[in-house]
Amino acid sequence: MTNVDVIIAGAGIWGSTLARRFAESGRKVLVLEKRRQVGGNVRCETDAETGIEIHSYGSHIFHTSLPEVWKFINRFTTFNGYQHKVLARYKGKTYFLPLGLTLVNSFFGVELTPAELPAFMADEAHSSAIFDAFFRGYTSKQWGRAPEEVDPSIIKRVPVRATYDVNYFNDYCQGIPLDGYNSIFEKLLDHSNITVRCDAGVRLENGAFKVDADDLPRVPLYYSGPVDALFDYRHGVLPWRTLKFETEKLDIADYQGTSVVNYTEAEVPYTRIHEFKHYHPELKDIMAKPKTIVMREYSAEWKLGDEPYYPIDTAQSRELLAAYKAEAEKIPNLILGGRLGAYKYFDMDKSIESALKIDIGE
Ligand SMILES: Cc1cc2nc3c(=O)[nH]c(=O)nc-3n(C[C@H](O)[C@H](O)[C@H](O)COP(=O)(O)OP(=O)(O)OC[C@H]3O[C@@H](n4cnc5c(N)ncnc54)[C@H](O)[C@@H]3O)c2cc1C
């Protein structure tokens, strides 16, 4: 472990982007990853029988409007042009999200024009009906609150599209990597200046960073694991929501005709069903096979040991985070980042952007 200029703890998209930048600037980089494989939550598994790419930590669609991020990621993959659409199933009927002309017109059986939509939605009866059908139950499941606790005023903050555009994201660059998400990480980390070790969780002991019993070289360390874990939860545990996934292989070519359907009623225990083959419409052989893989997603209360997915923003969690940040500032050569280190939800493009913005002294 000698001859190392920089250590990156965590080989998710944030750590891998940073590792690549350091390597290309001539520095020797040691990447230490706690899990058995690199890729963080973007990691996928390919089902051997069907060839379907399963997004192990929930559906991931790359989307961005940041030109520098798009340029960077396209050095390591080519995207298939997939445009994300999300449907919502409510009381046995299927609707297109997000909230816009398509949803409102089909839900109320009307034919509003773009100019008529704002006034229609300003009517309390209409906005309440939409809120009850598509937001109340879903939000209560997502955040573990009773439906009556979900604040109806959130509907006022949900953007309404006065168009028939059902593209889920507003970003003009979108897609799924043609050769799969894992290959991005293989390429990002494939550099003569990068050494990767998996099964190598970094911890802090008496002011020194360690992996197993070994002391790490005292060089700058960029840490993208959970910030509270690094300090052994001494101020308390930062709260998260977790997800549970139930994956099933079915003997039919197509289960739901699209990649994601949200189930918006509180009575349906899962929040959405993912059907992964729809992310790769270009793979005609896989599409035609009489088999598909679906994954039901359940949102659940998180406890230590569960996978952390969504940080819970409260006054108390902000206070805890500030205490951990203050601790981190006292450790020389420690830089926190990524979604776990920053305790912040980032889409992949924002994670890359944050890693691209770090001053690495080129
Ligand atoms: C359900 C869900 C769906 C999402 N869908 C999308 C989407 O469609 N599009 C999109 O752009 N973004 C999506 N995201 C966001 C995306 O997952 C994140 O942007 C991305 O994973 C962040 O990368 P990261 O490197 O910061 O963190 P991570 O991917 O979490 O990587 C951190 C890595 O650090 C490792 N680690 C932890 N502790 C240690 C330690 N002590 N030592 C060494 N290694 C350690 C972890 O094992 C992990 O590999 C989604 C997120 C969720 C929760």
Side-chain angles (χ1 to χ4, degrees):
M1 247 187 266
T2 50
N3 196 16
V4 170
D5 299 310
V6 181
I7 295 171
I8 309 280
I13 196 85
W14 186 83
S16 302
T17 300
L18 202 50
R20 183 74 191 194
R21 287 188 64 213
F22 274 118
E24 288 181 351
S25 74
R27 260 72 63 88
K28 298 274 181 212
V29 189
L30 176 62
V31 177
L32 298 168
E33 167 53 52
K34 191 175 172 181
R35 291 183 184 156
R36 237 180 304 151
Q37 288 157 320
V38 298
N41 277 15
V42 183
R43 183 90 203 167
C44 293
E45 302 299 328
T46 298
D47 177 66
E49 184 193 4
T50 59
I52 295 171
E53 182 186 32
I54 300 169
H55 300 199
S56 312
Y57 299 90
S59 280
H60 277 71
I61 300 93
F62 196 91
H63 59 98
T64 191
S65 296
L66 300 165
E68 70 284 9
V69 170
W70 190 238
K71 193 172 157 203
F72 179 81
I73 198 75
N74 274 279
R75 289 177 52 204
F76 305 98
T77 192
T78 304
F79 289 93
N80 68 355
Y82 170 87
Q83 300 283 303
H84 196 42
K85 299 187 179 55
V86 177
L87 289 109
R89 188 121 178 114
Y90 174 72
K91 294 213 185 294
K93 273 201 76 180
T94 307
Y95 302 88
F96 271 107
L97 292 174
L99 180 51
L101 263 187
T102 317
L103 176 65
V104 172
N105 280 348
S106 61
F107 184 66
F108 291 102
V110 292
E111 277 296 326
L112 300 172
T113 64
E116 289 164 341
L117 186 69
F120 186 85
M121 285 304 292
D123 183 326
E124 193 77 29
H126 298 143
S127 64
S128 295
I130 287 275
F131 175 75
D132 287 343
F134 299 103
F135 295 91
R136 193 191 289 280
Y138 191 83
T139 310
S140 72
K141 287 191 283 188
Q142 180 87 337
W143 295 101
R145 288 182 280 167
E148 48 284 7
E149 281 176 44
V150 178
D151 180 3
S153 72
I154 65 164
I155 191 82
K156 296 206 174 78
R157 302 197 296 272
V158 177
V160 184
R161 282 188 194 165
T163 67
Y164 282 107
D165 179 9
V166 290
N167 200 328
Y168 195 67
F169 300 115
N170 291 317
D171 296 320
Y172 64 91
C173 303
Q174 263 187 63
I176 303 290
L178 277 173
D179 46 1
Y181 277 104
N182 295 353
S183 80
I184 294 184
F185 292 90
E186 282 155 23
K187 290 179 187 147
L188 268 172
L189 297 168
D190 180 18
H191 192 286
S192 55
N193 283 340
I194 299 180
T195 304
V196 180
R197 265 184 67 191
C198 289
D199 278 322
V202 171
R203 63 182 200 287
L204 186 60
E205 224 175 80
N206 303 322
F209 288 105
K210 286 181 170 255
V211 165
D212 301 326
D214 303 332
D215 276 338
L216 290 172
R218 291 184 182 264
V219 295
L221 187 141
Y222 293 78
Y223 175 87
S224 59
V227 58
D228 52 354
L230 191 62
F231 295 101
D232 211 15
Y233 309 102
R234 68 175 70 142
H235 299 291
V237 175
L238 284 164
W240 295 84
R241 285 294 286 172
T242 193
L243 301 174
K244 308 279 177 202
F245 297 111
E246 199 178 80
T247 306
E248 196 181 354
K249 195 184 288 182
L250 303 170
D251 290 326
I252 46 170
D254 196 347
Y255 175 71
Q256 61 185 17
T258 191
S259 47
V260 178
V261 177
N262 288 4
Y263 284 75
T264 61
E265 288 159 79
E267 294 73 24
V268 178
Y270 39 87
T271 49
R272 33 185 191 167
I273 298 183
H274 311 260
E275 187 174 6
F276 298 110
K277 65 171 14 182
H278 291 286
Y279 286 124
H280 284 285
E282 78 282 4
L283 300 177
K284 304 276 182 240
D285 289 357
I286 293 179
M287 289 302 284
K289 272 190 190 148
K291 286 198 186 275
T292 191
I293 294 178
V294 295
M295 190 165 94
R296 287 178 199 83
E297 176 179 324
Y298 300 81
S299 181
E301 202 171 313
W302 174 89
K303 58 182 180 332
L304 259 186
D306 289 339
E307 205 53 63
Y309 281 98
Y310 296 107
I312 301 179
D313 181 32
T314 60
Q316 201 190 356
S317 68
R318 264 172 267 152
E319 216 172 280
L320 258 182
L321 179 62
Y324 283 119
K325 279 187 172 165
E327 293 277 353
E329 276 163 23
K330 289 186 220 150
I331 312 274
N333 279 335
L334 170 64
I335 301 97
L336 298 175
R339 63 180 199 102
L340 300 166
Y343 188 63
K344 194 169 181 324
Y345 178 88
F346 286 121
D347 273 326
M348 289 182 275
D349 65 330
K350 297 292 187 317
S351 242
I352 295 173
E353 183 192 33
S354 128
L356 291 179
K357 278 192 168 157
I358 289 176
D359 179 4
I360 63 161
E362 280 156 306

